[in-house]
Amino acid sequence: MSSSPVSSVYVYRDFVLSMLSLFCGRLYPTLRPPPADLTGKITVVTGANSGLGFQIALDLARQKATVFLACRNASKAQEAISRITSAVPDSVDRVKALSLDTSSPSSVRECAEGWKNTESKIDILFNNAGVPSSPEQPFTVDGFPTTYATNFLGSFLLTQLLEPCLSNEARVIFTSSTGHYISDFTPTFSLEAVKNRLEPGFHAPKAAVRSNGSAADSTIYGNTKAMQIAFAKLLQSRWNAAAKASGRTNERVVHAFSPGFTQTPGLPKMTPLSIWKYSPLQVWEDRGFWLLGATTVLATDVSQGAATAVWLATTKDEAVAGEGMGGGYWERMTKRAATVDAMSTEMLERFWIRWEADAGITWR
Ligand SMILES: NC(=O)c1ccc[n+]([C@@H]2O[C@H](COP(=O)([O-])OP(=O)(O)OC[C@H]3O[C@@H](n4cnc5c(N)ncnc54)[C@H](OP(=O)(O)O)[C@@H]3O)[C@@H](O)[C@H]2O)c1
């Protein structure tokens, strides 16, 4: 990686700006990304049967792309396809389902193998599937923290397996979150895969992991969302370096974005009144709790939450799509400094080594 870390001052500044737009998003001007003609473009959206993923898929179908909805539930995927084709009747032959459970490495592998056997290139890949937290099932059957496996590890593995299918001008977009600002990492985390363990300083801030191995849900979520941004930076720098080494130009870009608070089925349905259902300890220990409590009141329409994703995938703006310009974190179609932008190269590379170990792959 060649870029040097940005000053934390910029990260704090953009944290404050992001908090403002979280709370005042409904008062801000409507985002209107210019429509594009995506005829012939092949797109894949993970977690596309609901919320932001559904809206992204709908917007892509309206812009004449071929859209694959990669979902873990086949009937929900079919229902989403029906809704899209009802809204966009000429998309009937262009909107299709793929089976994918991002929390399961074997499902990710099957999905990628299936793709390679039946399809060809991918022009735009949206790694969008995610869960706010998984208190009922803290670990997957494979022994990874469920939020980490769903929100991050599955996307890491999927992107690696599908990399040979990405077109020369492909874009990869991650649905990250303003919640990444509550992430915290320490350089002492293990580089080896450790099953059924919440790794302090990696899956969740070290201070947040309790003696019984649990941690506040929003702190685990925040770390997964920061990892997506770190991954975008690291992948872009790898693509740029590989192109430079072989004397060609690199037109692939990868970005992460925050949708802000968006009205989706995935938002915790907490109102100021339902706070009484939670124990005072739960409320005190979870730094994201108060923020989440405000969402039903403050969240914007889903089309606004998805607008930045669709813009990143389609714009010709040099800052987004210029040669080697990826690796950015965006909010409301504006580039922001993320927490990981202030981290050293060494620290970011440690993440990559651990992700490789967890995914059981080598990806240099
Ligand atoms: N809404 C917000 O304010 C907000 C803010 C910041 C970031 N985000 C992020 O936006 C993304 C989309 O969330 P959303 O708000 O649109 O919530 P949502 O309506 O619940 O959508 C989440 C989607 O992800 C899918 N999904 C969950 N686990 C999966 C798995 N293991 N494999 C495959 N798909 C899976 C869900 O499928 P099922 O229907 O089968 O569960 C659903 O389609 C998430 O990454 C979330 O963290 C949302």
Side-chain angles (χ1 to χ4, degrees), residues 250-292:
N250 171 43
E251 291 175 63
R252 287 179 179 171
V253 290
V254 45
H255 289 284
F257 80 101
S258 165
F261 276 152
T262 308
Q263 293 284 0
T264 66
L267 267 191
K269 293 283 178 278
M270 286 198 280
T271 64
L273 284 179
S274 70
I275 203 166
W276 306 114
K277 288 194 287 187
Y278 298 83
S279 74
L281 186 65
Q282 236 176 333
V283 174
W284 175 252
E285 287 185 332
D286 193 332
R287 285 193 272 170
F289 190 93
W290 294 101
L291 215 49
L292 292 173

Side-chain angles (χ1 to χ4, degrees), residues 47-53 70-73 76 100-103 128-131 150-151 175-177 221 225 259-262 264-267:
N49 58 279
S50 172
L52 287 154
C71 305
R72 60 178 164 178
N73 181 309
K76 285 188 186 177
L100 172 71
D101 179 344
T102 58
S103 71
N128 166 78
V131 286
T150 308
N151 297 4
T175 307
S176 180
S177 172
Y221 176 80
K225 292 294 163 181
F261 276 152
T262 308
T264 66
L267 267 191

Side-chain angles (χ1 to χ4, degrees), residues 159-319:
T159 308
Q160 194 262 352
L161 295 171
L162 291 180
E163 191 183 32
C165 305
L166 295 177
S167 63
N168 289 341
E169 297 170 6
R171 300 196 193 180
V172 178
I173 312 294
F174 287 89
T175 307
S176 180
S177 172
T178 307
H180 93 273
Y181 283 109
I182 63 167
S183 65
D184 194 16
F185 299 93
T186 43
T188 50
F189 62 80
S190 168
L191 296 178
E192 308 296 324
V194 185
K195 300 280 173 82
N196 295 304
R197 174 157 190 244
L198 205 57
E199 182 77 35
F202 180 68
H203 297 127
K206 199 168 189 175
V209 179
R210 306 182 193 108
S211 55
N212 68 358
S214 67
D217 300 327
S218 64
T219 59
I220 303 174
Y221 176 80
N223 276 28
T224 66
K225 292 294 163 181
M227 285 184 200
Q228 293 176 319
I229 306 169
F231 180 31
K233 279 172 75 76
L234 291 166
L235 182 56
Q236 186 68 50
S237 66
R238 277 162 168 75
W239 282 347
N240 293 350
K244 197 172 170 194
S246 60
R248 51 184 177 82
T249 55
N250 171 43
E251 291 175 63
R252 287 179 179 171
V253 290
V254 45
H255 289 284
F257 80 101
S258 165
F261 276 152
T262 308
Q263 293 284 0
T264 66
L267 267 191
K269 293 283 178 278
M270 286 198 280
T271 64
L273 284 179
S274 70
I275 203 166
W276 306 114
K277 288 194 287 187
Y278 298 83
S279 74
L281 186 65
Q282 236 176 333
V283 174
W284 175 252
E285 287 185 332
D286 193 332
R287 285 193 272 170
F289 190 93
W290 294 101
L291 215 49
L292 292 173
T295 54
T296 45
V297 184
L298 301 171
T300 60
D301 179 78
V302 71
S303 67
Q304 286 301 287
T308 302
V310 176
W311 176 73
L312 286 170
T314 55
T315 183
K316 293 187 167 47
D317 190 316
E318 267 294 300

Side-chain angles (χ1 to χ4, degrees), residues 4 12 30 52 106 142 154 159 169 171 249 308 320 332:
S4 32
Y12 283 117
T30 304
L52 287 154
S106 60
D142 300 290
T159 308
E169 297 170 6
R171 300 196 193 180
T249 55
T308 302
V320 174
R332 289 188 58 82

